Amino acid sequence: MNKFGDRVRELREQQNLLQRQVAGKLDIDTPMLSKIERGERRAKREQVITFSEILSADQNELITLWLADRVYEIVKDEDLATDALKVAEKECEYSKKPIAKA
Amino acid sequence: MNKFGDRVRELREQQNLLQRQVAGKLDIDTPMLSKIERGERRAKREQVITFSEILSADQNELITLWLADRVYEIVKDEDLATDALKVAEKECEYSKKPIAKA
DNA sequence: TTATGACTTGTCAGATATTGACAAATATAA
DNA sequence: TTATATTTGTCAATATCTGACAAGTCATAA
């Protein structure tokens, strides 16, 4: 599973941008971008934000995919993956931050 | 969130076992066990299995809690935590291993 | 063919994080 | 006090991650 990298590549190609161009704005070299797109290396959180700006993409979408990749990495070989995710989800519900100024 | 460590401690105390006794069977020292119970250090997967044997506990329950802790660690500060978990969950459904000899 | 541009692969040292082990501190009870 | 249980802090060894670079492949064009 490499949802983040796949999406980044998709967006980049849709907009006919070269790795060189995107990498430049991220201040990384093209080998690094290539690896991020293929899921061989993981982008930093700040880079995910930058990706969304460069690619005029939905920041929330990219962060979600980026997180999902990391989560999936942990549970991917586990029979109890779904159970574990549900437990984590419940904990998220429980400890959800109150919305500021709601 | 330290569901695994909390459960281990609960089980250990229910059975009036000392850290020393449990640690011995795990081949770790008591400071290490103390840290695992309090979530300061993470148990290895093999140790989770051993915990379930020592404490006569449900192996699946402990593995699930242990995984959930690790997953939660990744998403705990994220507004999109739940979304990300749902994406990961869907991927688990999709790529679930067929049950052997079903 | 050679040349060029886009991308990928492999490597590597430096930085960072994790690990297991130990001493020492604290707590609790006799 | 003493002894026992647990926690805290530290540390070197190890493992993992990181960024950067050279060199590779692949496709297209001259």
Side-chain angles (χ1 to χ4, degrees):
Chain A
M1 166 139 140
N2 175 34
K3 286 185 186 283
F4 175 74
D6 288 349
R7 184 71 178 119
V8 163
R9 172 157 300 188
E10 186 179 42
L11 288 163
R12 180 176 64 80
E13 289 178 343
Q14 275 173 8
Q15 298 173 42
N16 289 307
L17 295 170
L18 299 175
Q19 285 186 349
R20 172 163 45 80
Q21 301 174 292
V22 173
K25 299 197 187 180
L26 282 162
D27 198 33
I28 59 177
D29 61 12
T30 56
M32 184 60 70
L33 177 53
S34 169
K35 285 167 186 170
I36 290 172
E37 285 185 352
R38 286 173 299 106
E40 195 186 314
R41 291 288 180 100
R42 183 195 305 148
K44 298 180 186 176
R45 198 185 189 289
E46 350 140 16
Q47 291 175 326
V48 177
I49 310 301
T50 309
F51 268 116
S52 76
E53 290 161 359
I54 297 171
L55 301 170
S56 312
D58 179 359
Q59 178 176 314
N60 286 351
E61 182 203 359
L62 291 189
I63 290 182
T64 301
L65 297 179
W66 175 78
L67 284 173
D69 283 346
R70 298 178 59 195
V71 165
Y72 184 72
E73 185 60 26
I74 290 182
V75 301
K76 63 169 184 243
D77 294 326
E78 298 283 350
D79 290 342
L80 299 162
T82 304
D83 292 345
L85 294 179
K86 284 191 201 303
V87 171
E89 226 173 295
K90 272 203 174 170
E91 185 66 19
C92 288
E93 290 304 315
Y94 178 73
S95 62
K96 203 184 292 182
K97 284 184 234 164
I99 297 163
K101 220 175 113 187
Chain B
M1 167 139 137
N2 177 32
K3 285 184 185 286
F4 175 75
D6 288 348
R7 184 70 178 117
V8 162
R9 171 157 300 188
E10 185 179 42
L11 288 163
R12 179 175 63 79
E13 289 178 343
Q14 275 173 9
Q15 299 173 42
N16 290 306
L17 295 169
L18 299 175
Q19 285 186 350
R20 172 163 44 82
Q21 301 174 293
V22 173
K25 298 196 187 179
L26 281 161
D27 197 33
I28 59 177
D29 61 11
T30 55
M32 184 60 70
L33 177 53
S34 169
K35 285 167 185 171
I36 289 172
E37 285 185 353
R38 286 173 300 107
E40 195 186 312
R41 292 289 181 98
R42 184 195 304 146
K44 298 180 185 174
R45 197 184 189 290
E46 348 139 19
Q47 291 174 327
V48 177
I49 310 301
T50 308
F51 269 115
S52 76
E53 291 162 358
I54 297 171
L55 302 170
S56 312
D58 179 359
Q59 179 176 313
N60 285 352
E61 182 204 0
L62 292 189
I63 289 182
T64 300
L65 296 179
W66 176 78
L67 285 173
D69 283 346
R70 298 178 58 196
V71 165
Y72 184 73
E73 185 61 25
I74 290 181
V75 301
K76 64 170 184 245
D77 293 326
E78 298 283 350
D79 290 341
L80 298 162
T82 304
D83 291 346
L85 293 179
K86 284 190 200 302
V87 171
E89 226 174 294
K90 271 202 175 172
E91 186 66 19
C92 288
E93 291 303 315
Y94 179 74
S95 62
K96 203 184 294 184
K97 284 185 231 164
I99 297 162
K101 221 174 111 188

mmCIF file of all heavy atoms in Angstrom, chain B residues 60-75:
data_model
loop_
_atom_site.group_PDB
_atom_site.id
_atom_site.type_symbol
_atom_site.label_atom_id
_atom_site.label_comp_id
_atom_site.label_asym_id
_atom_site.label_seq_id
_atom_site.Cartn_x
_atom_site.Cartn_y
_atom_site.Cartn_z
ATOM 1 N N ASN B 60 -4.881 -13.302 21.494
ATOM 2 C CA ASN B 60 -5.432 -12.352 20.525
ATOM 3 C C ASN B 60 -5.742 -11.003 21.159
ATOM 4 O O ASN B 60 -5.520 -9.960 20.550
ATOM 5 C CB ASN B 60 -6.697 -12.922 19.884
ATOM 6 C CG ASN B 60 -6.376 -14.011 18.871
ATOM 7 O OD1 ASN B 60 -5.215 -14.234 18.544
ATOM 8 N ND2 ASN B 60 -7.397 -14.684 18.390
ATOM 9 N N GLU B 61 -6.249 -11.053 22.370
ATOM 10 C CA GLU B 61 -6.564 -9.799 23.050
ATOM 11 C C GLU B 61 -5.291 -8.971 23.226
ATOM 12 O O GLU B 61 -5.263 -7.775 22.914
ATOM 13 C CB GLU B 61 -7.188 -10.061 24.432
ATOM 14 C CG GLU B 61 -7.573 -8.769 25.149
ATOM 15 C CD GLU B 61 -7.640 -8.916 26.667
ATOM 16 O OE1 GLU B 61 -7.391 -10.025 27.180
ATOM 17 O OE2 GLU B 61 -7.923 -7.906 27.331
ATOM 18 N N LEU B 62 -4.246 -9.622 23.720
ATOM 19 C CA LEU B 62 -3.010 -8.872 23.975
ATOM 20 C C LEU B 62 -2.393 -8.342 22.691
ATOM 21 O O LEU B 62 -1.918 -7.206 22.642
ATOM 22 C CB LEU B 62 -2.011 -9.745 24.741
ATOM 23 C CG LEU B 62 -2.392 -10.092 26.180
ATOM 24 C CD1 LEU B 62 -1.234 -10.777 26.901
ATOM 25 C CD2 LEU B 62 -2.819 -8.843 26.946
ATOM 26 N N ILE B 63 -2.395 -9.150 21.658
ATOM 27 C CA ILE B 63 -1.828 -8.683 20.388
ATOM 28 C C ILE B 63 -2.631 -7.499 19.859
ATOM 29 O O ILE B 63 -2.065 -6.514 19.369
ATOM 30 C CB ILE B 63 -1.791 -9.821 19.350
ATOM 31 C CG1 ILE B 63 -0.722 -10.840 19.760
ATOM 32 C CG2 ILE B 63 -1.486 -9.278 17.951
ATOM 33 C CD1 ILE B 63 -0.549 -11.983 18.802
ATOM 34 N N THR B 64 -3.943 -7.612 19.986
ATOM 35 C CA THR B 64 -4.787 -6.511 19.509
ATOM 36 C C THR B 64 -4.480 -5.217 20.256
ATOM 37 O O THR B 64 -4.326 -4.149 19.642
ATOM 38 C CB THR B 64 -6.277 -6.874 19.674
ATOM 39 O OG1 THR B 64 -6.557 -8.056 18.917
ATOM 40 C CG2 THR B 64 -7.169 -5.739 19.186
ATOM 41 N N LEU B 65 -4.358 -5.302 21.557
ATOM 42 C CA LEU B 65 -4.071 -4.103 22.347
ATOM 43 C C LEU B 65 -2.688 -3.553 22.017
ATOM 44 O O LEU B 65 -2.497 -2.338 21.899
ATOM 45 C CB LEU B 65 -4.160 -4.425 23.851
ATOM 46 C CG LEU B 65 -5.537 -4.853 24.363
ATOM 47 C CD1 LEU B 65 -5.478 -5.160 25.845
ATOM 48 C CD2 LEU B 65 -6.583 -3.784 24.068
ATOM 49 N N TRP B 66 -1.765 -4.464 21.857
ATOM 50 C CA TRP B 66 -0.385 -4.078 21.551
ATOM 51 C C TRP B 66 -0.316 -3.358 20.201
ATOM 52 O O TRP B 66 0.325 -2.310 20.064
ATOM 53 C CB TRP B 66 0.482 -5.339 21.563
ATOM 54 C CG TRP B 66 1.895 -5.188 21.182
ATOM 55 C CD1 TRP B 66 2.922 -4.693 21.937
ATOM 56 C CD2 TRP B 66 2.483 -5.594 19.936
ATOM 57 N NE1 TRP B 66 4.106 -4.767 21.236
ATOM 58 C CE2 TRP B 66 3.867 -5.313 20.019
ATOM 59 C CE3 TRP B 66 1.988 -6.171 18.774
ATOM 60 C CZ2 TRP B 66 4.748 -5.589 18.971
ATOM 61 C CZ3 TRP B 66 2.864 -6.449 17.741
ATOM 62 C CH2 TRP B 66 4.222 -6.143 17.843
ATOM 63 N N LEU B 67 -1.021 -3.888 19.221
ATOM 64 C CA LEU B 67 -1.080 -3.231 17.911
ATOM 65 C C LEU B 67 -1.790 -1.889 18.003
ATOM 66 O O LEU B 67 -1.340 -0.889 17.427
ATOM 67 C CB LEU B 67 -1.818 -4.114 16.903
ATOM 68 C CG LEU B 67 -1.094 -5.333 16.351
ATOM 69 C CD1 LEU B 67 -2.048 -6.169 15.515
ATOM 70 C CD2 LEU B 67 0.109 -4.890 15.511
ATOM 71 N N ALA B 68 -2.895 -1.879 18.732
ATOM 72 C CA ALA B 68 -3.694 -0.651 18.824
ATOM 73 C C ALA B 68 -2.863 0.479 19.431
ATOM 74 O O ALA B 68 -2.941 1.628 18.977
ATOM 75 C CB ALA B 68 -4.946 -0.904 19.648
ATOM 76 N N ASP B 69 -2.064 0.154 20.427
ATOM 77 C CA ASP B 69 -1.195 1.171 21.024
ATOM 78 C C ASP B 69 -0.260 1.764 19.980
ATOM 79 O O ASP B 69 -0.057 2.982 19.914
ATOM 80 C CB ASP B 69 -0.342 0.561 22.149
ATOM 81 C CG ASP B 69 -1.124 0.355 23.438
ATOM 82 O OD1 ASP B 69 -2.231 0.919 23.561
ATOM 83 O OD2 ASP B 69 -0.627 -0.378 24.316
ATOM 84 N N ARG B 70 0.310 0.891 19.173
ATOM 85 C CA ARG B 70 1.274 1.363 18.174
ATOM 86 C C ARG B 70 0.587 2.218 17.109
ATOM 87 O O ARG B 70 1.127 3.233 16.663
ATOM 88 C CB ARG B 70 1.982 0.173 17.526
ATOM 89 C CG ARG B 70 2.783 -0.646 18.535
ATOM 90 C CD ARG B 70 3.428 -1.841 17.890
ATOM 91 N NE ARG B 70 4.310 -1.442 16.805
ATOM 92 C CZ ARG B 70 4.773 -2.266 15.875
ATOM 93 N NH1 ARG B 70 4.407 -3.534 15.886
ATOM 94 N NH2 ARG B 70 5.578 -1.828 14.931
ATOM 95 N N VAL B 71 -0.584 1.790 16.714
ATOM 96 C CA VAL B 71 -1.329 2.542 15.718
ATOM 97 C C VAL B 71 -1.731 3.908 16.276
ATOM 98 O O VAL B 71 -1.554 4.940 15.617
ATOM 99 C CB VAL B 71 -2.589 1.758 15.275
ATOM 100 C CG1 VAL B 71 -3.561 2.657 14.525
ATOM 101 C CG2 VAL B 71 -2.183 0.555 14.432
ATOM 102 N N TYR B 72 -2.237 3.873 17.494
ATOM 103 C CA TYR B 72 -2.702 5.126 18.095
ATOM 104 C C TYR B 72 -1.563 6.128 18.208
ATOM 105 O O TYR B 72 -1.770 7.340 18.030
ATOM 106 C CB TYR B 72 -3.312 4.847 19.472
ATOM 107 C CG TYR B 72 -3.902 6.074 20.115
ATOM 108 C CD1 TYR B 72 -5.092 6.622 19.642
ATOM 109 C CD2 TYR B 72 -3.269 6.697 21.175
ATOM 110 C CE1 TYR B 72 -5.636 7.760 20.211
ATOM 111 C CE2 TYR B 72 -3.800 7.842 21.758
ATOM 112 C CZ TYR B 72 -4.982 8.358 21.271
ATOM 113 O OH TYR B 72 -5.513 9.487 21.835
ATOM 114 N N GLU B 73 -0.404 5.622 18.503
ATOM 115 C CA GLU B 73 0.782 6.473 18.629
ATOM 116 C C GLU B 73 0.986 7.335 17.381
ATOM 117 O O GLU B 73 1.354 8.498 17.455
ATOM 118 C CB GLU B 73 2.007 5.596 18.876
ATOM 119 C CG GLU B 73 3.292 6.350 19.156
ATOM 120 C CD GLU B 73 3.179 7.208 20.402
ATOM 121 O OE1 GLU B 73 2.354 6.897 21.295
ATOM 122 O OE2 GLU B 73 3.906 8.206 20.485
ATOM 123 N N ILE B 74 0.693 6.756 16.231
ATOM 124 C CA ILE B 74 0.900 7.456 14.963
ATOM 125 C C ILE B 74 -0.123 8.559 14.734
ATOM 126 O O ILE B 74 0.208 9.644 14.258
ATOM 127 C CB ILE B 74 0.845 6.453 13.781
ATOM 128 C CG1 ILE B 74 2.079 5.558 13.834
ATOM 129 C CG2 ILE B 74 0.758 7.171 12.446
ATOM 130 C CD1 ILE B 74 2.136 4.566 12.702
ATOM 131 N N VAL B 75 -1.377 8.285 15.082
ATOM 132 C CA VAL B 75 -2.445 9.205 14.703
ATOM 133 C C VAL B 75 -2.936 10.096 15.835
ATOM 134 O O VAL B 75 -3.788 10.961 15.635
ATOM 135 C CB VAL B 75 -3.658 8.441 14.125
ATOM 136 C CG1 VAL B 75 -3.247 7.640 12.892
ATOM 137 C CG2 VAL B 75 -4.282 7.541 15.167
#
